[in-house]
């Protein structure tokens, strides 16, 4: 069983930055691609970014491209989401997920964290 724990969320002013972390249970992360998704109140959970199991390939949703960066640190079993130039519309609960496919869709991801809240104020 893979366990993922997100951290790093909080309240930030528009234009500010946050770094989210997704920590895996030890020894299991290297088999999986990892995605970040977010869900705002009343909206569907949407894709944000994904990184391959090796870290060599990434993809981003258009609204965050150029502002967010996904990375992974294999020896620490951790995936990061660096978020810069935050906008009010980035406010959401952010979730990391692990799965066997490099995908922008939710369905291929087998394991999900509990989420961390990001709130961007004006």
């Amino acid at each position: 069983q893979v366990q993922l724990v997100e951290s790093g969320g909080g309240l930030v002013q528009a234009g500010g930055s946050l770094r989210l972390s997704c920590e895996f249970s030890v020894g299991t992360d290297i088999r999986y691609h990892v995605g970040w998704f977010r869900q705002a109140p009343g909206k569907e959970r949407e894709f944000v970014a994904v990184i391959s199991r090796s870290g060599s390939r990434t993809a981003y949703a258009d609204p965050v491209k150029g502002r967010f960066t996904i990375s992974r640190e294999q020896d620490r079993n951790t995936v990061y989401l660096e978020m810069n130039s935050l906008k009010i519309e980035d406010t959401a609960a952010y979730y990391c997920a692990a799965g066997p496919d490099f995908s922008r869709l939710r369905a291929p991801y087998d394991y999900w964290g509990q989420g961390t809240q990001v709130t961007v104020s004006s």
Side-chain angles (χ1 to χ4, degrees):
Q1 182 76 11
V2 177
Q3 292 183 323
L4 300 91
V5 178
E6 303 96 336
S7 61
L11 175 64
V12 63
Q13 285 191 320
S17 299
L18 282 175
R19 187 177 78 160
L20 305 184
S21 299
C22 173
E23 188 169 354
F24 290 74
S25 48
V26 174
T28 58
D29 65 296
I30 60 173
R31 295 177 291 170
Y32 298 100
H33 303 296
V34 175
W36 281 98
F37 291 76
R38 66 186 182 186
Q39 187 168 18
K43 294 189 176 181
E44 293 283 317
R45 191 171 297 190
E46 64 178 8
F47 168 76
V48 175
V50 58
I51 189 166
S52 63
R53 59 174 65 92
S54 69
S56 62
R57 188 160 58 126
T58 59
Y60 297 90
D62 286 344
V64 307
K65 202 172 292 184
R67 299 188 297 122
F68 290 12
T69 303
I70 189 171
S71 61
R72 68 191 299 165
E73 197 168 352
Q74 304 286 34
D75 58 351
R76 297 188 65 181
N77 300 315
T78 304
V79 171
Y80 301 100
L81 185 69
E82 184 76 35
M83 306 186 296
N84 298 313
S85 302
L86 281 162
K87 303 177 181 180
I88 292 174
E89 52 263 42
D90 294 319
T91 295
Y94 283 72
Y95 300 86
C96 64
D101 296 335
F102 186 87
S103 178
R104 296 169 179 257
L105 304 177
R106 290 176 292 173
Y109 291 91
D110 298 321
Y111 304 101
W112 291 80
Q114 293 299 307
T116 185
Q117 178 67 34
V118 172
T119 303
V120 184
S121 65
S122 59

